[in-house]
Amino acid sequence: ADFSVQVYGESLKQALSGLVDRTVPAQSFAMEIAAEGALTSPVLRRLDLKVGDSSLQAKGRIAPVPPHKGTDVTFELSVPSLVAWVPELVEESWAARPYVAGGRVRKQGDRIRLEQASIKGAATEWQFDGEINDRFDLASASLRASTKGDDGGQYLPDFTGFEPAKAPFELALDLSASPEHVQIRDLKLLWADSELQGRGQWALSDTASGSAIELELNSSRLSSLGELDALTLPDAPLRLTAKVVPGAGEGFKVPNLAMDVLDGKITGQVSYGATPKPSISADLVATGLDFRPLIRESESSVDTAAAPSTVSSGRVIPDQRISVDVLRRFDAQLRFSGSGLHYPDPGF
């Protein structure tokens, strides 16, 4: 049998009041469905759904009754701005951009597969594929995702005085689920002559144990990462290994940080607390570091005539204001000790 359904309204928020808990847009909506076949396994000739300027289109075969045999649907979702759907993102610039998502969902054996799926935005594009059993058991789910772009630095947190490199990046994730954990089977990020790799698992609840993620970062050139106002990043390699485990609340700890850099080594532990005002604590030990490549030549020269004009006669501290705004963003307890460290001639 052939059948069609048409639904229109002036406010989706009003139409769904009492049915859903979260906020939905108070925008007009229209839905048109044209299908044929049995109600238990209809062939969807067309689905058009519009909410304001957002739209969803789909076609194919849907088997709504388990085990969903014969399901094979392609879809495309267009959203001009995520802020209308998630008002909490109003201050996020990336959420105000348009996005288009699409892909194919089909049943194969006892698995429901997501294939050739993508999310495209103005600045990036994600590719996905995944699967879950036909009982929709989360422990059976897996997901593979990848993305790449021309400027990986734009996604890094904002640190005063640091300008990240505008360099191409590639990110790939391979995830699966168990009854109590998300399994990170593989994580790989390539950016600015650097490679980050990771694997491990993270608990889905506070009662589950065994959360730990092993990370390794290798960079062939520190200078490729970006620029610092006060320091010159040298063309020197960096290798960092860390094990990330849960901390207090929603924070995390790195109990065994190890870094090979500047011809020396830094070891120790770091913790981060996700409190209203974030907190950071670190206890680090450095051996054999050579700081001389970090200092700009004019700052380390023994020729006082070539020293910056901001250094007054007879003064070590410059007259210019030193920005410490970044320190107001978090609370910190830092302890640093070192031996065999090399510094430049202070030049005074």
Side-chain angles (χ1 to χ4, degrees):
D2 295 346
F3 61 93
S4 62
V5 177
Q6 297 180 344
V7 181
Y8 303 91
E10 295 182 356
S11 173
L12 181 65
K13 181 177 181 179
Q14 184 177 356
L16 296 181
S17 62
L19 298 178
V20 295
D21 294 332
R22 66 163 292 108
T23 302
V24 296
Q27 301 180 21
S28 62
F29 65 95
M31 181 175 68
E32 297 184 13
I33 299 175
E36 61 185 24
L39 292 178
T40 57
S41 183
V43 176
L44 193 65
R45 292 202 304 264
R46 187 183 78 256
L47 181 150
D48 288 320
L49 171 64
K50 293 199 69 176
V51 179
D53 293 327
S54 300
S55 65
L56 170 65
Q57 296 179 322
K59 61 181 180 179
R61 179 183 293 274
I62 297 177
V65 178
H68 314 287
K69 184 178 180 180
T71 293
D72 193 346
V73 178
T74 59
F75 67 92
E76 181 175 286
L77 171 66
S78 177
V79 180
S81 172
L82 295 178
V83 176
W85 296 91
V86 189
E88 295 84 355
L89 299 177
V90 66
E91 296 184 0
E92 303 292 342
S93 60
W94 60 267
R97 301 168 182 166
Y99 289 89
V100 176
R104 179 186 184 189
V105 178
R106 69 186 182 100
K107 175 75 181 297
Q108 185 178 36
D110 66 346
R111 313 291 289 178
I112 296 177
R113 301 184 184 277
L114 174 66
E115 300 176 342
Q116 303 169 4
S118 66
I119 298 177
K120 299 178 182 179
T124 187
E125 177 178 347
W126 283 87
Q127 305 288 337
F128 299 91
D129 66 82
E131 59 182 60
I132 193 170
N133 65 22
D134 55 16
R135 300 182 303 279
F136 293 95
D137 180 8
L138 182 61
S140 71
S142 64
L143 177 70
R144 290 160 294 280
S146 64
T147 185
K148 59 182 179 180
D150 297 328
D151 182 10
Q154 66 179 312
Y155 300 105
L156 296 180
D158 182 24
F159 293 103
T160 301
F162 176 64
E163 183 66 29
K166 294 182 178 181
F169 75 98
E170 296 182 19
L171 172 64
L173 286 167
D174 187 352
L175 308 175
S176 63
S178 65
E180 295 186 331
H181 297 86
V182 172
Q183 309 285 339
I184 303 175
R185 296 188 291 200
D186 190 34
L187 177 155
K188 181 177 288 186
L189 171 65
L190 302 176
W191 173 66
D193 293 336
S194 302
E195 179 177 345
L196 174 67
Q197 292 184 308
R199 55 178 47 89
Q201 64 179 13
W202 204 260
L204 294 172
S205 67
D206 295 336
T207 58
S209 60
S211 295
I213 300 176
E214 301 278 354
L215 297 174
E216 180 176 335
L217 172 65
N218 288 281
S219 178
S220 59
R221 294 185 304 121
L222 277 173
S223 60
S224 69
L225 300 177
E227 296 181 355
L228 283 171
D229 287 347
L231 301 172
T232 298
L233 294 177
D235 291 332
L238 164 71
R239 181 176 184 269
L240 180 148
T241 58
K243 181 179 181 179
V244 182
V245 298
E250 297 182 357
F252 62 85
K253 297 186 295 184
V254 181
N256 59 347
L257 177 72
M259 186 186 311
D260 295 315
V261 64
L262 299 175
D263 296 329
K265 193 174 189 70
I266 299 176
T267 58
Q269 56 186 7
V270 177
S271 64
Y272 172 80
T275 51
K277 186 176 184 180
S279 62
I280 299 173
S281 65
D283 188 352
L284 303 175
V285 178
T287 55
L289 297 185
D290 187 354
F291 290 101
R292 289 172 291 190
L294 291 176
I295 309 301
R296 302 186 191 279
E297 183 177 351
S298 61
E299 296 175 358
S300 61
S301 172
V302 296
D303 182 3
T304 57
S309 59
T310 54
V311 179
S312 302
S313 175
R315 290 186 177 184
V316 175
I317 305 300
D319 292 331
Q320 71 183 58
R321 180 176 179 272
I322 300 175
S323 176
V324 293
D325 292 342
V326 68
L327 299 180
R328 297 189 179 97
R329 301 180 187 177
F330 54 86
D331 295 324
Q333 279 189 319
L334 307 176
R335 179 182 178 184
F336 180 85
S337 59
S339 61
L341 309 182
H342 303 280
Y343 298 93
D345 188 317
F348 57 85

